[in-house]
Amino acid sequence: MAVADAGLPDYVLDADAVLKDTNVNWRHGRAPDYSKTRKVWSETKKASHQAGSLPDLVEKLVKNWEIEASHKVDLADWRTIDLSSYKFSVNGGPEQSGEHMLRVGTYNAILEPNEYYCPARCSFDASHKTFKRMMPTFAWEVLEVYAGPPRVAFRWRHWGTMKEDYVGVNNKGENVRIKAHGGEIDIEGIAVAEVNDKLQLQKVEVFFDPMTMFRQMAPDEETGVTKTKAASRCEDVIDPGADSSGLPESQAQNERRQLT
């Protein structure tokens, strides 16, 4: 069933609404380009929602939230959240503030230290370089919505293709390399979001298995993964010739990679 557009904010009607914002501080000096990820989403998504339906509105809200969380450096510029009450948590863990996510980044906010990756050893920019270089596009969709506002419960999917080797640092300070297999990485989870009367996010609880991605990256631990004591932080293994998008400078001039 469609929901009337009258009075709804643009960030639930247009998945790229906040990309059009002016007079905001973008992390790398300009709004990012999500065109390639949107193309992958359109061609390989599992769900197809009627425009204006509740799943469609939820999907667009979360996509705009991700853009702001990943690319707007001033919390006051995030239009998709209620600044007075916004909190984020993963798998029943401690609530994180918007300021925390601004410091550590979206990957570090949702991942736990493990044998392949350690958030504490990876800065915001380095974390994005690490995963974007491995997986150029990481599309996201809503599969089902179980309950509507003000408490919205939904199932989601996040997917992409492992095109380059993964190179990162794990919880032991080891340099980890996982050979690219060219296959799909496909993650699903549940989220419960509380929203206000402007459909701004007040509280977001995400539930998923964070190791699913790494297990799909390294299906053959014996031959596909190497670990050395060569590094203690992600920055030590990032290509120094890469720009802030994680691409070599020559390639970055022609292509901007995206998270969602």
Side-chain angles (χ1 to χ4, degrees):
M1 179 178 295
V3 177
D5 289 357
L8 293 177
D10 61 346
Y11 48 76
V12 300
L13 300 175
D14 175 1
D16 296 323
V18 301
L19 289 173
K20 303 166 189 174
D21 291 353
T22 58
N23 299 318
V24 301
N25 291 321
W26 294 105
R27 185 164 295 278
H28 300 299
R30 60 178 176 177
D33 180 1
Y34 274 62
S35 59
K36 287 183 172 59
T37 294
R38 298 296 188 244
K39 184 174 186 293
V40 169
W41 167 81
S42 177
E43 293 174 349
T44 59
K45 64 182 179 176
K46 290 183 177 179
S48 182
H49 305 303
Q50 180 182 353
S53 66
L54 183 58
D56 179 64
L57 301 181
V58 172
E59 185 170 88
K60 288 171 178 173
L61 169 61
V62 176
K63 286 184 175 182
N64 278 296
W65 166 83
E66 186 280 322
I67 293 170
E68 295 190 314
S70 296
H71 299 285
K72 287 185 177 180
V73 299
D74 294 333
L75 199 62
D77 290 332
W78 294 20
R79 297 196 288 119
T80 56
I81 69 169
D82 184 338
L83 289 171
S84 66
S85 60
Y86 172 77
K87 297 294 180 183
F88 178 88
S89 66
V90 179
N91 294 334
E95 292 185 337
Q96 305 174 25
S97 66
E99 289 85 355
H100 174 79
M101 189 170 281
L102 273 177
R103 288 195 304 272
V104 304
T106 48
Y107 282 107
N108 289 339
I110 65 173
L111 295 175
E112 298 177 350
N114 60 68
E115 61 184 304
Y116 304 110
Y117 181 76
C118 181
R121 297 177 184 272
C122 212
S123 69
F124 190 127
D125 282 343
S127 67
H128 280 241
K129 291 176 186 179
T130 295
F131 292 104
K132 288 178 183 180
R133 191 164 51 176
M134 173 196 78
M135 188 165 48
T137 60
F138 201 11
W140 189 90
E141 68 174 331
V142 166
L143 296 174
E144 297 179 275
V145 175
Y146 305 116
R151 189 168 172 81
V152 185
F154 57 95
R155 184 164 65 94
W156 52 266
R157 174 180 176 238
H158 217 350
W159 75 101
T161 301
M162 187 179 185
K163 293 191 174 182
E164 302 289 343
D165 289 1
Y166 166 83
V167 180
V169 178
N170 69 9
N171 56 353
K172 297 179 181 178
E174 296 171 322
N175 181 5
V176 179
R177 179 179 290 271
I178 303 176
K179 185 174 177 59
H181 52 61
E184 189 173 75
I185 294 172
D186 198 321
I187 306 163
E188 291 189 14
I190 299 289
V192 179
E194 295 180 9
V195 298
N196 62 16
D197 57 0
K198 298 178 182 178
L199 299 183
Q200 291 174 314
L201 297 165
Q202 296 178 303
K203 183 178 181 180
V204 182
E205 299 174 273
V206 175
F207 302 92
F208 80 118
D209 179 358
M211 292 305 295
T212 299
M213 176 172 67
F214 296 101
R215 285 194 292 267
Q216 293 180 30
M217 287 162 51
D220 190 342
E221 174 77 22
E222 292 186 4
T223 61
V225 181
T226 58
K227 299 177 183 178
T228 65
K229 268 289 187 184
S232 60
R233 289 189 58 79
C234 292
E235 285 81 348
D236 299 330
V237 297
I238 294 294
D239 177 6
D243 81 339
S244 58
S245 69
L247 292 165
E249 182 60 34
S250 59
Q251 187 179 355
Q253 293 174 357
N254 301 314
E255 181 178 352
R256 301 286 293 178
R257 294 184 176 181
Q258 312 89 26
L259 173 64
T260 288

